Every structure is written in C-alpha cells, then in structure tokens.
Amino acid sequence: MELKHVIPNMDKTFGTLEYAGEGKVEQRRINGRPTILSRSYNLYSAIQRADDIVVVLPAEAGEKHFETEDKVRLINPKITAEGYKIGTRGFTNYVMTADDMVKA
C-alpha cells in the first residue's frame, strides 16, 4: 500500500495559522511562454513554533494578498513526503499543499 498523502487535523497539528509572507513561485516555459505552476506562502503556526509553515497552492488559486499576521484557513490541505539523499544518508521533506487559502 502506497502512502499518497496525509490529511492533517489542522486545529490539533497547527492551531491558528497566520500569514507570514510570500514564498517561491514555480514556473516553467510552456509553448515558449513562462507559465506559473504554483506559488508558496509562509505561515505562522500557534502550535508549530520552531519554523514557518510553508504551503504550496496551485496557480489556479491565484495570487494571494494578505496583511502580515492575518489569520488564514487552508482549503483541503494535504501533506506529502518527498525522500532524497545526500551521499549515503536519507532525508525526508514534508510538503503541505492546499487547494486554496482564505481569510479565517
């Protein structure tokens, strides 16, 4: 059985989420034109305080404009794991995606 993604219990795992700023924009040339594939945003979590939470939204969600520390809510969040290695050591990068992000 393959693990495709985990649907987090947002209240228990992250608590209140606040907007912390824009992240990266992933784009690729399609038919010679740059096309946006996804955008990432940084969020503050009331429970996960060590690092910012990064969420990746599809291009269809559009560009988001929030004030810093606005409370936000994620629509259909999912967490996936990506494995990679450096030398002989293995590492895991957890990626949170969502269909959209709205003001809470």
Side-chain angles (χ1 to χ4, degrees), residues 26-37:
E26 183 183 346
Q27 52 185 344
R28 182 175 300 146
R29 285 197 174 275
I30 298 176
N31 295 328
R33 305 180 84 168
T35 303
I36 294 175
L37 301 176

Side-chain angles (χ1 to χ4, degrees), residues 73-102:
R73 183 171 58 88
L74 300 177
I75 308 298
N76 296 325
K78 298 176 185 94
I79 298 174
T80 57
E82 295 177 347
Y84 63 98
K85 73 174 192 168
I86 298 175
T88 59
R89 298 182 64 190
F91 298 91
T92 305
N93 186 29
Y94 295 97
V95 179
M96 182 155 58
T97 59
D99 292 342
D100 204 354
M101 180 170 60
V102 296

